[in-house]
Amino acid sequence: MTLAQYSLLRKIERGGAVSLTELGRMADLDRSTVGRNVKALEQLRLVRPVLAKDRREATVRLAPGGVEALRLAAPLWEDAQRRVETALGAGSAEQLRTLALSL
């Protein structure tokens, strides 16, 4: 799983059943980019399509494989975050987070 895929899976996890348009807004990505990325997640059996109220809009939710992938990836992500903070120091890590959020 790539970092971009992990990020999208986390957003889908938070949103439950989420439309690709809404997922694009959440991830600040255009709809076509989200569609391509979600197709890859579907092929990996990490997400699955679901019926939405508006059947014109593609909607996905986590598949059991996605739940398991997030469970396994979470400790690795947390460890990476700790290593970055250790390498940069708490103040610089906070500045980096602030800068990233401003983009």
Side-chain angles (χ1 to χ4, degrees):
M1 175 186 340
T2 68
L3 181 57
Q5 290 170 333
Y6 178 80
S7 177
L8 281 179
L9 286 176
R10 280 288 179 211
K11 287 172 178 41
I12 295 167
E13 177 185 47
R14 284 187 215 110
V18 61
S19 74
L20 299 191
T21 300
E22 180 60 25
L23 187 56
R25 276 191 219 108
M26 294 165 70
D28 198 25
L29 296 170
D30 64 80
R31 170 67 172 71
S32 62
T33 300
V34 169
R36 284 191 303 274
N37 289 333
V38 166
K39 184 175 278 291
L41 293 173
E42 282 183 62
Q43 290 171 344
L44 294 169
R45 298 184 178 182
L46 301 177
V47 299
R48 62 183 175 83
V50 294
L51 290 178
K53 290 178 185 176
D54 182 351
R55 293 184 185 221
R56 297 171 296 172
E57 181 65 61
T59 301
V60 294
R61 75 169 41 251
L62 287 182
V67 173
E68 180 66 5
L70 286 175
R71 186 187 71 74
L72 294 172
L76 300 173
W77 175 253
E78 291 163 7
D79 181 57
Q81 296 299 305
R82 277 192 299 277
R83 286 187 285 137
V84 167
E85 189 157 322
T86 298
L88 294 177
S92 293
E94 184 58 36
Q95 286 178 331
L96 180 60
R97 275 190 287 277
T98 300
L99 178 62
L101 289 172
S102 72
L103 296 176

